[in-house]
Amino acid sequence: DPSGTFVQLRLGLAQTTCRKRAPQRHCRVLESRRKPICLACYKFDTSDVPKVLDKYHNCGPSHHLAAKEIRQRDEAECRAVEEAGRGGDTPYLPGMFAFSRGLPA
């Protein structure tokens, strides 16, 4: 995409038996706990030092009754992030347009 690089990440989180203070390599996942699914979308420009043009992230519970509505909203938000930097939403820059006054008839 000439307007930049779009990245979409979907992560599933799970609670484990490990403690925050003393992290271990092998932790058992607690099966009976909530497992939220996180979605993150980022759009970077194409410059040498990429800048974030737009971003969206949401971590919602997977058991929620309105999961379908949340998923649809997430998809719409990510589409909007993907469109960032394209023709329609570029900012106005001075000198971008020129107007001249017509001579009287």
Side-chain angles (χ1 to χ4, degrees):
D1 185 3
S3 66
T5 302
F6 175 72
V7 178
Q8 180 176 342
L9 303 169
R10 191 174 305 272
L11 306 167
L13 303 179
Q15 188 174 357
T16 65
T17 56
C18 291
R19 298 191 180 274
K20 290 181 184 178
R21 301 281 183 209
Q24 301 169 357
R25 288 185 177 246
H26 303 289
C27 301
R28 188 172 52 86
V29 174
L30 298 174
E31 295 298 326
S32 62
R33 305 297 176 156
R34 294 181 183 172
K35 296 179 181 175
I37 295 181
C38 298
L39 177 69
C41 301
Y42 295 91
K43 178 74 177 259
F44 300 95
D45 68 0
T46 57
S47 64
D48 291 338
V49 180
K51 293 180 183 153
V52 177
L53 295 174
D54 201 1
K55 66 181 176 180
Y56 172 77
H57 43 84
N58 182 31
C59 289
S62 59
H63 71 285
H64 196 274
L65 295 176
K68 184 177 181 180
E69 289 83 9
I70 292 171
R71 195 175 320 114
Q72 289 172 345
R73 184 196 66 209
D74 285 347
E75 289 172 5
E77 292 286 343
C78 277
R79 276 193 302 274
V81 169
E82 188 174 9
E83 295 296 320
R86 292 190 180 162
D89 60 354
T90 54
Y92 170 78
L93 299 173
M96 185 180 286
F97 302 103
F99 302 96
S100 61
R101 184 173 175 188
L103 297 173

